[in-house]
Coordinates of all heavy atoms in Angstrom, one line a residue:
W1 N -9.6 -133.5 -118.8 CA -9.1 -132.3 -118.2 C -9.4 -131.1 -119.1 O -9.7 -130.0 -118.7 CB -7.6 -132.4 -118.0 CG -7.2 -133.1 -116.8 CD1 -6.7 -134.4 -116.7 CD2 -7.3 -132.7 -115.4 NE1 -6.5 -134.8 -115.4 CE2 -6.9 -133.8 -114.6 CE3 -7.8 -131.6 -114.8 CZ2 -6.9 -133.7 -113.2 CZ3 -7.8 -131.5 -113.4 CH2 -7.3 -132.5 -112.6
L2 N -9.3 -131.3 -120.4 CA -9.5 -130.1 -121.3 C -11.0 -129.8 -121.4 O -11.4 -128.6 -121.4 CB -9.0 -130.5 -122.7 CG -7.5 -130.6 -122.9 CD1 -7.1 -131.1 -124.3 CD2 -6.9 -129.2 -122.7
V3 N -11.9 -130.8 -121.4 CA -13.3 -130.5 -121.4 C -13.7 -129.8 -120.1 O -14.5 -128.9 -120.1 CB -14.1 -131.8 -121.6 CG1 -15.6 -131.5 -121.4 CG2 -13.9 -132.3 -123.0
A4 N -13.1 -130.3 -119.0 CA -13.4 -129.6 -117.7 C -13.0 -128.2 -117.7 O -13.7 -127.3 -117.2 CB -12.7 -130.4 -116.5
A5 N -11.8 -127.9 -118.3 CA -11.4 -126.5 -118.4 C -12.3 -125.7 -119.3 O -12.6 -124.5 -119.0 CB -9.9 -126.5 -118.9
Q6 N -12.7 -126.3 -120.4 CA -13.7 -125.6 -121.3 C -15.0 -125.3 -120.6 O -15.5 -124.1 -120.7 CB -13.9 -126.5 -122.5 CG -15.0 -125.9 -123.4 CD -15.4 -126.9 -124.5 OE1 -14.7 -127.9 -124.7 NE2 -16.5 -126.6 -125.2
A7 N -15.5 -126.2 -119.9 CA -16.8 -126.0 -119.2 C -16.6 -124.9 -118.1 O -17.5 -124.1 -117.9 CB -17.3 -127.3 -118.5
T8 N -15.5 -125.0 -117.4 CA -15.3 -124.0 -116.3 C -15.2 -122.6 -116.9 O -15.8 -121.6 -116.4 CB -14.0 -124.3 -115.6 OG1 -14.1 -125.6 -115.0 CG2 -13.7 -123.3 -114.5
L9 N -14.5 -122.5 -118.1 CA -14.4 -121.2 -118.7 C -15.7 -120.7 -119.2 O -16.0 -119.5 -119.0 CB -13.4 -121.3 -120.0 CG -13.4 -120.1 -120.9 CD1 -12.7 -118.9 -120.2 CD2 -12.6 -120.5 -122.2
M10 N -16.5 -121.5 -119.7 CA -17.9 -121.1 -120.2 C -18.8 -120.7 -119.1 O -19.5 -119.7 -119.2 CB -18.5 -122.2 -121.1 CG -17.8 -122.5 -122.4 SD -17.7 -121.0 -123.5 CE -19.5 -120.6 -123.6
I11 N -18.7 -121.4 -117.9 CA -19.5 -121.0 -116.8 C -19.1 -119.7 -116.2 O -20.0 -118.8 -116.0 CB -19.4 -122.1 -115.7 CG1 -20.1 -123.4 -116.1 CG2 -20.0 -121.6 -114.4 CD1 -19.8 -124.6 -115.2
F12 N -17.8 -119.4 -116.1 CA -17.3 -118.1 -115.6 C -17.7 -117.0 -116.6 O -18.1 -115.9 -116.2 CB -15.8 -118.2 -115.4 CG -15.4 -118.7 -114.0 CD1 -14.9 -120.0 -113.9 CD2 -15.6 -118.0 -112.9 CE1 -14.5 -120.5 -112.7 CE2 -15.3 -118.5 -111.6 CZ -14.7 -119.7 -111.5
L13 N -17.6 -117.3 -117.9 CA -18.0 -116.3 -118.9 C -19.5 -116.0 -118.8 O -19.9 -114.8 -118.8 CB -17.7 -116.8 -120.3 CG -18.0 -115.8 -121.4 CD1 -17.2 -114.5 -121.2 CD2 -17.7 -116.4 -122.8
G14 N -20.3 -117.0 -118.6 CA -21.8 -116.8 -118.5 C -22.1 -116.0 -117.2 O -23.0 -115.1 -117.2
L15 N -21.4 -116.3 -116.1 CA -21.7 -115.6 -114.9 C -21.2 -114.1 -115.0 O -21.8 -113.2 -114.4 CB -20.9 -116.3 -113.7 CG -21.5 -117.6 -113.3 CD1 -20.6 -118.3 -112.2 CD2 -22.9 -117.6 -112.9
F16 N -20.1 -113.9 -115.7 CA -19.7 -112.6 -115.9 C -20.7 -111.8 -116.7 O -21.0 -110.6 -116.4 CB -18.3 -112.6 -116.7 CG -17.8 -111.2 -117.1 CD1 -17.1 -110.4 -116.1 CD2 -18.0 -110.7 -118.3 CE1 -16.7 -109.2 -116.5 CE2 -17.5 -109.5 -118.7 CZ -16.9 -108.7 -117.7
V17 N -21.2 -112.4 -117.8 CA -22.2 -111.7 -118.6 C -23.5 -111.4 -117.9 O -24.0 -110.3 -118.0 CB -22.5 -112.5 -119.9 CG1 -23.7 -112.0 -120.6 CG2 -21.3 -112.6 -120.8
T18 N -23.9 -112.3 -117.0 CA -25.2 -112.1 -116.4 C -25.2 -111.4 -115.1 O -26.1 -110.8 -114.6 CB -25.9 -113.5 -116.2 OG1 -25.0 -114.3 -115.4 CG2 -26.2 -114.2 -117.5
R19 N -24.0 -111.4 -114.4 CA -24.0 -110.8 -113.0 C -23.0 -109.6 -112.9 O -23.1 -108.8 -112.0 CB -23.6 -111.9 -112.0 CG -24.5 -113.0 -112.0 CD -24.2 -114.0 -110.8 NE -25.1 -115.1 -110.8 CZ -25.1 -116.1 -109.9 NH1 -24.2 -116.0 -108.9 NH2 -25.9 -117.1 -109.9
V20 N -22.0 -109.6 -113.8 CA -21.0 -108.5 -113.7 C -21.3 -107.4 -114.8 O -21.4 -106.2 -114.5 CB -19.6 -109.0 -113.8 CG1 -18.6 -107.9 -113.7 CG2 -19.4 -110.0 -112.6
A21 N -21.3 -107.9 -116.0 CA -21.4 -106.9 -117.1 C -22.8 -106.5 -117.5 O -23.1 -105.6 -118.2 CB -20.8 -107.6 -118.4
D22 N -23.8 -107.2 -116.9 CA -25.2 -106.9 -117.2 C -25.5 -105.5 -116.7 O -25.2 -105.1 -115.6 CB -26.2 -107.9 -116.5 CG -27.6 -107.7 -117.0 OD1 -27.8 -107.3 -118.1 OD2 -28.5 -107.9 -116.1
G23 N -26.1 -104.7 -117.6 CA -26.5 -103.3 -117.3 C -25.3 -102.3 -117.5 O -25.5 -101.1 -117.3
H24 N -24.2 -102.8 -118.0 CA -23.1 -102.0 -118.4 C -22.8 -102.0 -119.9 O -23.1 -103.0 -120.5 CB -21.8 -102.4 -117.6 CG -22.0 -102.3 -116.1 ND1 -22.6 -103.2 -115.3 CD2 -21.5 -101.3 -115.2 CE1 -22.6 -102.8 -114.0 NE2 -21.9 -101.7 -114.0
W25 N -22.2 -101.0 -120.4 CA -21.8 -100.9 -121.8 C -20.7 -102.0 -122.0 O -19.8 -102.2 -121.2 CB -21.2 -99.6 -122.1 CG -20.9 -99.4 -123.6 CD1 -21.8 -98.9 -124.5 CD2 -19.7 -99.7 -124.2 NE1 -21.2 -98.9 -125.7 CE2 -19.9 -99.4 -125.6 CE3 -18.5 -100.2 -123.8 CZ2 -18.9 -99.5 -126.6 CZ3 -17.5 -100.4 -124.8 CH2 -17.7 -100.0 -126.1
P26 N -20.7 -102.8 -123.1 CA -21.6 -102.6 -124.3 C -22.9 -103.4 -124.2 O -23.6 -103.4 -125.2 CB -20.7 -103.0 -125.4 CG -19.9 -104.1 -124.8 CD -19.6 -103.7 -123.4
L27 N -23.1 -104.2 -123.2 CA -24.3 -105.1 -123.1 C -25.6 -104.3 -123.1 O -26.6 -104.8 -123.5 CB -24.2 -106.0 -121.9 CG -23.1 -107.1 -122.0 CD1 -23.3 -108.1 -120.8 CD2 -23.1 -107.8 -123.3
T28 N -25.5 -103.0 -122.7 CA -26.7 -102.2 -122.7 C -27.2 -101.9 -124.1 O -28.3 -101.4 -124.3 CB -26.4 -100.8 -122.0 OG1 -25.2 -100.2 -122.5 CG2 -26.1 -101.1 -120.5
L29 N -26.3 -102.1 -125.1 CA -26.7 -101.8 -126.5 C -27.2 -103.0 -127.2 O -27.8 -102.9 -128.3 CB -25.4 -101.2 -127.2 CG -24.8 -100.0 -126.6 CD1 -23.5 -99.6 -127.4 CD2 -25.8 -98.8 -126.5
E30 N -26.9 -104.2 -126.7 CA -27.1 -105.4 -127.6 C -28.6 -105.7 -127.8 O -29.0 -106.4 -128.7 CB -26.4 -106.6 -127.0 CG -26.9 -107.1 -125.7 CD -26.3 -108.5 -125.4 OE1 -25.6 -109.0 -126.2 OE2 -26.5 -108.9 -124.2
D31 N -29.5 -105.2 -126.9 CA -30.9 -105.5 -127.1 C -31.5 -104.7 -128.3 O -32.6 -105.0 -128.7 CB -31.7 -105.2 -125.8 CG -31.6 -106.3 -124.8 OD1 -31.2 -107.4 -125.2 OD2 -31.8 -106.0 -123.6
R32 N -30.8 -103.7 -128.8 CA -31.3 -102.9 -129.9 C -31.4 -103.8 -131.1 O -32.3 -103.6 -132.0 CB -30.3 -101.8 -130.2 CG -30.3 -100.8 -129.0 CD -29.3 -99.6 -129.4 NE -29.2 -98.6 -128.3 CZ -28.4 -97.6 -128.4 NH1 -27.7 -97.3 -129.5 NH2 -28.4 -96.7 -127.4
L33 N -30.5 -104.8 -131.3 CA -30.5 -105.6 -132.6 C -31.8 -106.5 -132.6 O -32.5 -106.5 -133.6 CB -29.3 -106.4 -132.7 CG -29.1 -107.2 -134.0 CD1 -29.1 -106.3 -135.2 CD2 -27.8 -108.0 -134.0
P34 N -32.1 -107.3 -131.5 CA -33.3 -108.0 -131.6 C -34.6 -107.2 -131.8 O -35.5 -107.6 -132.5 CB -33.4 -108.8 -130.2 CG -31.9 -108.8 -129.8 CD -31.3 -107.5 -130.3
R35 N -34.6 -106.0 -131.2 CA -35.8 -105.1 -131.3 C -35.9 -104.6 -132.8 O -37.0 -104.5 -133.3 CB -35.7 -103.9 -130.3 CG -35.8 -104.3 -128.9 CD -36.0 -103.1 -128.0 NE -35.9 -103.5 -126.6 CZ -35.0 -103.1 -125.7 NH1 -34.0 -102.3 -126.1 NH2 -35.1 -103.5 -124.5
A36 N -34.7 -104.3 -133.3 CA -34.7 -103.8 -134.7 C -35.2 -104.9 -135.7 O -36.0 -104.6 -136.6 CB -33.3 -103.3 -135.1
F37 N -34.7 -106.1 -135.5 CA -35.2 -107.2 -136.3 C -36.7 -107.5 -136.1 O -37.4 -107.7 -137.1 CB -34.4 -108.5 -135.9 CG -33.1 -108.6 -136.6 CD1 -32.0 -109.1 -135.9 CD2 -32.9 -108.3 -137.9 CE1 -30.8 -109.2 -136.5 CE2 -31.7 -108.4 -138.5 CZ -30.6 -108.9 -137.8
A38 N -37.2 -107.4 -134.8 CA -38.6 -107.7 -134.6 C -39.5 -106.6 -135.2 O -40.6 -106.9 -135.7 CB -38.8 -107.7 -133.1
A39 N -39.0 -105.4 -135.3 CA -39.8 -104.3 -135.9 C -39.8 -104.4 -137.4 O -40.6 -103.7 -138.1 CB -39.2 -103.0 -135.5
H40 N -38.9 -105.1 -138.0 CA -38.8 -105.1 -139.5 C -38.8 -106.5 -140.1 O -38.3 -106.8 -141.1 CB -37.5 -104.4 -140.0 CG -37.4 -103.0 -139.6 ND1 -36.9 -102.6 -138.4 CD2 -37.7 -101.9 -140.3 CE1 -36.9 -101.2 -138.3 NE2 -37.4 -100.8 -139.5
R41 N -39.5 -107.4 -139.4 CA -39.7 -108.8 -139.9 C -40.5 -108.8 -141.2 O -41.4 -108.0 -141.4 CB -40.3 -109.7 -138.8 CG -39.3 -110.0 -137.7 CD -40.0 -110.8 -136.6 NE -39.1 -111.1 -135.5 CZ -39.5 -111.4 -134.3 NH1 -40.8 -111.5 -134.0 NH2 -38.6 -111.7 -133.4
S42 N -40.2 -109.8 -142.0 CA -41.0 -109.9 -143.3 C -41.2 -111.4 -143.5 O -40.4 -112.3 -143.0 CB -40.2 -109.3 -144.4 OG -39.0 -110.0 -144.7
P43 N -42.1 -111.8 -144.4 CA -42.3 -113.2 -144.7 C -41.0 -113.9 -145.3 O -40.7 -115.0 -144.9 CB -43.4 -113.2 -145.8 CG -44.1 -112.0 -145.5 CD -43.1 -110.9 -145.0
L44 N -40.2 -113.1 -146.1 CA -39.0 -113.7 -146.6 C -38.0 -113.9 -145.5 O -37.4 -115.0 -145.4 CB -38.4 -112.8 -147.7 CG -37.0 -113.2 -148.2 CD1 -37.2 -114.5 -148.9 CD2 -36.5 -112.1 -149.2
G45 N -37.8 -112.9 -144.6 CA -36.9 -113.1 -143.5 C -37.3 -114.2 -142.6 O -36.5 -114.9 -142.0

């Protein structure tokens, strides 16, 4: 029962992120971090 509840929660959270919150603040800002990392990569990093 607990694992089923956990899986259900994660599925609803994923659907919320991809279908409801996508294109809205603050998710509109989160792509800036991968782009910033990609622009400043180094051999050490």
Side-chain angles (χ1 to χ4, degrees):
W1 283 106
L2 289 173
V3 171
Q6 175 189 345
T8 302
L9 171 66
M10 292 302 304
I11 290 172
F12 275 106
L13 181 61
L15 294 175
F16 175 81
V17 169
T18 56
R19 299 187 182 183
V20 179
D22 188 35
H24 297 82
W25 187 90
L27 293 187
T28 54
L29 305 177
E30 67 170 352
D31 281 341
R32 295 181 182 179
L33 186 58
R35 294 189 186 115
F37 277 140
H40 298 86
R41 287 172 180 163
S42 66
L44 177 61

